[in-house]
Amino acid sequence: MSESNMSISEMLTYSTVLINCQYADGSVGSGTGFIVNLCNKPEEKTCIPVLITNNHVVNNSVRTVFEFCKADENGKPLDTESFSFNYSGAGNKWIPHPNKNIDLCCLPLGPALNELAKTDIKIFYIPLETDLIPTESKINELSAIEDIVMIGYPIGISDQYNHKPVIRRGITATHPKKDYQGQKHILLDMACFPGSSGSPVFIMNQGSYATPSGITVGNRIYLLGILFGGPQYTAQGILSFANVPNIPKPIVNIPTNHGVAIKSSEILEFEKILDPTHEQ
């Protein structure tokens, strides 16, 4: 992330995309994706831009569309103009997480970007870098209560005129260093709605933040996790856990204003299976 004339929060809004899906059964839904540069050979500075989201967002999608901001001839963003990538097929371009129990998948963007380079169309995005993923030592420095922000498209809401996502704020509901319910998850105190699946969750402090040794002056940003599910009450009053749906439905289950995020360290598992020449 290197746009020096932008604030940290503004740069983050250029890392996400709204994902619209048409499914094999004829239904439609939406979710959130975000772009990350994965570098499985950092010594060779070989990186692959990928789009990451939840498996349950794109599974069984026969037509997947994601929208990017256009750029002018100098590479600057044209916020009010967009370009849509259209992927057809039953999701076979997506690479599932190597652990089938982790609800993540990624799509290498290289082939699409290479085709786009043959045209006069330019797009603008700011990929996240894996150095935003906190190391174990950094995680251990965190407190049980940390301010967090989530960037995405709840129930498909966005600033359609400027093609920008919605920013939501909350706190961690369990300590990030703990594995919630024994899984690589973190519980969040934040309202989560259909369309938020796949949203990146950040710890973002601007100006100052607390550490075990006191207050530190400066900025801090970590990619903490990826939203995928949350607890909710059924119409019968039973507390259950479910994926955040990508298809809006009549309210029969009552959310508890909590969400569950997959720990961001799971993104690094994709680096182990990606080939820099990958042409999915």
Side-chain angles (χ1 to χ4, degrees), residues 17-25 27-34 50-67 85-97 102-109 195-199 226-228 243-247 270:
V17 296
L18 171 63
I19 300 177
N20 287 306
C21 298
Q22 179 180 337
Y23 299 100
D25 63 0
S27 62
V28 295
S30 67
T32 301
F34 60 97
V50 302
L51 185 63
I52 290 179
T53 190
N54 295 139
N55 260 321
H56 78 262
V57 170
V58 296
N59 189 36
N60 293 323
S61 176
V62 295
R63 182 173 180 268
T64 308
V65 180
F66 19 88
E67 193 175 84
F85 284 106
N86 189 331
Y87 280 80
S88 299
N92 58 354
K93 294 179 171 62
W94 295 88
I95 300 172
H97 193 276
I102 301 294
D103 187 9
L104 288 178
C105 59
C106 77
L107 177 70
L109 294 175
S196 294
S197 292
S199 296
I226 308 97
L227 183 78
F228 81 101
N243 291 333
V244 176
N246 44 302
I247 302 175
F270 286 115

Side-chain angles (χ1 to χ4, degrees), residues 250-272:
I251 297 177
V252 293
N253 293 341
I254 305 171
T256 64
N257 285 344
H258 287 83
V260 180
I262 299 165
K263 290 188 173 183
S264 59
S265 56
E266 291 299 322
I267 292 174
L268 300 177
E269 296 300 310
F270 286 115
E271 288 189 326
K272 301 174 183 179

Side-chain angles (χ1 to χ4, degrees), residues 197-268:
S197 292
S199 296
V201 178
F202 300 91
I203 290 176
M204 188 180 69
N205 308 112
Q206 300 182 83
S208 65
Y209 53 92
T211 66
S213 58
I215 300 296
T216 297
V217 176
N219 299 327
R220 180 178 67 169
I221 179 169
Y222 294 140
L223 173 56
L224 188 64
I226 308 97
L227 183 78
F228 81 101
Q232 57 188 3
Y233 278 106
T234 66
Q236 293 75 33
I238 300 171
L239 184 65
S240 65
F241 177 90
N243 291 333
V244 176
N246 44 302
I247 302 175
K249 296 179 179 179
I251 297 177
V252 293
N253 293 341
I254 305 171
T256 64
N257 285 344
H258 287 83
V260 180
I262 299 165
K263 290 188 173 183
S264 59
S265 56
E266 291 299 322
I267 292 174
L268 300 177

Side-chain angles (χ1 to χ4, degrees), residues 116-173:
L116 191 62
K118 299 175 184 177
T119 72
D120 294 330
I121 299 173
K122 299 181 185 298
I123 61 172
F124 183 87
Y125 63 91
I126 300 178
L128 304 178
E129 306 292 343
T130 53
D131 59 8
L132 291 177
I133 298 173
T135 62
E136 185 176 354
S137 62
K138 294 295 184 183
I139 288 289
N140 288 333
E141 292 177 358
L142 299 176
S143 67
I145 303 174
E146 294 284 352
D147 292 326
I148 54 175
V149 295
M150 179 172 68
I151 301 180
Y153 307 88
I155 57 176
I157 292 175
S158 68
D159 178 356
Q160 295 181 350
Y161 180 79
N162 291 296
H163 302 100
K164 290 293 176 292
V166 170
I167 303 171
R168 311 210 68 181
R169 183 179 291 277
I171 61 171
T172 53

